[in-house]
């Protein structure tokens, strides 16, 4: 067997194994999605979006849980903080020792289990406040989202050509003006994508909310009190022996999955529109 034939056989074997691995992954992904869609749609109704979480054996929906998830996710305290930290790393402290420490801590937070962050916020806020609260839940989610925003902001700012920065400086602009008027607009599509990915990252987190916001069966708009949220409601309802709660758990899981899918599509649309606008 000559070398050319051996290379073709090796290539065919590698392609075959890659195809089999891809098919296996797609099969299990399709099975999970099919189960989620079929069971989630079975409990989908207008009542899901108009009624509070029900008692055992009663009828109800997920309105308060959806509201709580939107509030705690939408606060996104980590967005501005992450953008500013990423800006510092890319523009002010690229080679400083502090930047190396910040990058290391950020990498640790990127891979840290969310339950550890929940315990940290529980010790930091919940114990000192004396009660669970939506504010503590928002802080926990912000800490989880912040490393994603820091990493994407730094990477996107580093991709801006140095010539654009030098041209702005040559025109007499201060560095902060160059950042806000030249660098941010050039990197806005990547920064927006990072923010949307951070939101998608925290949309389904359950563990940190169990230690911070906990749950509330009733409607509550008070950020200083426990607040219902979809991940914790799904967790509690899925483990219950009540069929109506289990059905609502599947429906809530479908809502979260669909929301993350919409966020991903929105990120692509926003990036495309921003790039198109920038080209014009």
């Amino acid at each position: 067997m000559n070398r050319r034939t051996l290379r073709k056989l090796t290539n065919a074997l590698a392609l075959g194994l890659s195809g089999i691995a891809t098919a296996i992954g797609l099969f299990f992904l399709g099975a999970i999605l099919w189960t989620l869609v079929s069971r989630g749609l079975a409990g989908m109704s207008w009542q899901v979006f108009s009624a509070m979480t029900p008692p055992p054996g009663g009828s109800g929906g997920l309105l308060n849980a959806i509201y709580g998830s939107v509030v705690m996710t939408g606060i996104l305290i980590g967005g501005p903080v992450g953008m500013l930290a990423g800006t510092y790393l890319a523009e002010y402290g690229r080679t400083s020792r502090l930047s190396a420490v910040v990058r290391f801590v950020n990498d640790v937070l990127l891979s840290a289990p969310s339950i550890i962050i929940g315990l940290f916020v529980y010790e930091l806020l919940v114990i000192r406040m004396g009660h669970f609260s939506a504010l503590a839940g928002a802080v926990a989610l912000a800490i989880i989202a912040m490393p994603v925003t820091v990493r994407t902001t730094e990477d996107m700012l580093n991709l801006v050509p140095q010539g654009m920065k030098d041209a702005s400086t040559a025109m007499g602009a201060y560095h902060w003006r160059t950042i806000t008027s030249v660098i941010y607009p050039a990197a806005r599509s990547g920064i927006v994508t990072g923010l949307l990915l951070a939101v998608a990252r925290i949309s389904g987190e359950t563990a940190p909310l169990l230690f911070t916001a906990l749950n509330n069966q009733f409607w509550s708009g008070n950020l200083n009190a426990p607040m219902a949220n979809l991940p914790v409601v799904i967790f509690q309802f899925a483990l219950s022996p009540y069929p109506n709660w289990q059905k609502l758990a599947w429906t809530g899981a479908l809502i979260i999955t669909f929301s993350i899918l919409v966020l991903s599509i929105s990120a692509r649309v926003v990036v495309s529109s921003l790039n198109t606008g920038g080209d014009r």
Side-chain angles (χ1 to χ4, degrees):
M1 181 181 298
N2 56 33
R3 183 176 299 178
R4 183 179 179 86
T5 303
L6 180 61
R7 286 179 177 177
K8 287 184 176 181
L9 291 175
T10 304
N11 182 65
L13 179 62
L15 286 176
L17 293 176
S18 300
I20 293 172
T22 303
I24 292 174
L26 290 176
F27 170 78
F28 285 108
L29 177 62
I32 292 172
L33 289 177
W34 172 254
T35 304
L36 178 63
V37 171
S38 61
R39 298 197 178 186
L41 287 178
M44 189 69 70
S45 66
W46 175 248
Q47 193 177 26
V48 172
F49 303 97
S50 60
M52 305 299 138
T53 49
S59 61
L62 298 171
L63 177 61
N64 53 335
I66 295 173
Y67 170 78
S69 290
V70 171
V71 168
M72 284 184 282
T73 303
I75 293 177
L76 200 61
I77 309 170
V81 176
M83 283 184 58
L84 292 175
T87 303
Y88 171 80
L89 293 176
E91 299 299 326
Y92 290 100
R94 219 176 254 195
T95 58
S96 66
R97 293 184 178 179
L98 177 60
S99 296
V101 174
V102 172
R103 289 190 183 95
F104 175 76
V105 173
N106 191 70
D107 292 340
V108 171
L109 286 176
L110 272 173
S111 57
S114 59
I115 191 171
I116 302 300
I117 295 175
L119 285 170
F120 169 74
V121 177
Y122 176 82
E123 176 70 26
L124 182 68
L125 292 179
V126 176
I127 291 180
R128 285 165 174 74
M129 294 169 66
H131 56 82
F132 298 97
S133 66
L135 182 60
V139 170
L141 294 181
I143 294 175
I144 297 174
M146 190 163 42
V148 180
T149 311
V150 172
R151 173 62 65 83
T152 54
T153 301
E154 182 187 6
D155 290 343
M156 292 304 105
L157 295 184
N158 285 332
L159 290 177
V160 177
Q162 185 64 38
M164 295 178 63
K165 307 175 186 178
D166 294 340
S168 177
T169 304
M171 294 295 291
Y174 290 104
H175 194 39
W176 66 267
R177 174 64 70 179
T178 300
I179 292 173
T180 56
S181 300
V182 177
I183 300 177
Y184 276 166
R188 60 186 176 183
S189 60
I191 294 175
V192 171
T193 302
L195 290 173
L196 293 176
L197 289 175
V199 173
R201 166 76 171 81
I202 63 179
S203 296
E205 287 293 343
T206 305
L209 296 180
L210 284 171
F211 290 96
T212 53
L214 199 60
N215 198 4
N216 192 339
Q217 188 176 348
F218 306 100
W219 179 276
S220 175
N222 185 7
L223 294 178
N224 197 34
M227 183 177 287
N229 54 88
L230 273 176
V232 174
V233 168
I234 292 170
F235 174 75
Q236 292 181 346
F237 282 16
L239 295 179
S240 71
Y242 309 109
N244 65 318
W245 278 15
Q246 294 175 3
K247 185 180 293 186
L248 281 176
W250 281 107
T251 303
L254 178 62
I255 292 173
I256 288 181
T257 305
F258 180 76
S259 300
I260 295 175
L261 178 62
V262 169
L263 278 176
S264 301
I265 296 175
S266 301
R268 290 180 176 272
V269 172
V270 168
V271 171
S272 299
S273 61
L274 289 177
N275 290 336
T276 304
D279 294 338
R280 291 178 182 176

